[in-house]
Amino acid sequence: MALSTSSNFAKPDDAFRAIVEAHRGLSDAESADLDAALVLVLANHIGDLGVLNEAIVLAKRRMLDASQQQQQQQQ
C-alpha cells in the first residue's frame, strides 16, 4: 500500500472541522494527548509499517519546511 497524500474525503472541510471541534475546550496538554491517541488509532487502522514510516518522514519534512519559512519571514 502506498501513502495517499491527496484528499480521500468527499468533504475535506468537514473532516478538518471535526478534528478542530474535537479539540475545543481542551487544555494544551489534553489536546496533545488527543492528537497522540488519534495518531495511534489511525496508525493501527492503516496497519502498514512502510506507509506509517513514509507518513512520519513526510510529516517531519512539512514541519521543518514550515519552521524554516517562519524563520525566513522573521529575518
Side-chain angles (χ1 to χ4, degrees):
M1 171 190 320
L3 178 65
S4 172
T5 57
S6 59
S7 179
N8 291 316
F9 288 99
K11 296 181 178 181
D13 289 343
D14 290 351
F16 179 78
R17 192 173 299 109
I19 293 169
V20 169
E21 287 299 319
H23 288 83
R24 188 175 306 280
L26 299 179
S27 68
D28 287 347
E30 291 168 332
S31 186
D33 287 347
L34 174 62
D35 284 342
L38 183 58
V39 165
L40 292 173
V41 168
L42 294 174
N44 183 65
H45 176 74
I46 292 166
D48 184 313
L49 188 55
V51 172
L52 178 60
N53 285 328
E54 199 176 337
I56 290 168
V57 168
L58 179 61
K60 285 177 111 173
R61 186 180 314 130
R62 287 183 177 177
M63 185 181 71
L64 292 172
D65 288 348
S67 176
Q68 289 172 349
Q69 286 178 354
Q70 278 185 328
Q71 288 175 355
Q72 290 173 351
Q73 289 174 354
Q74 292 174 351
Q75 294 177 351

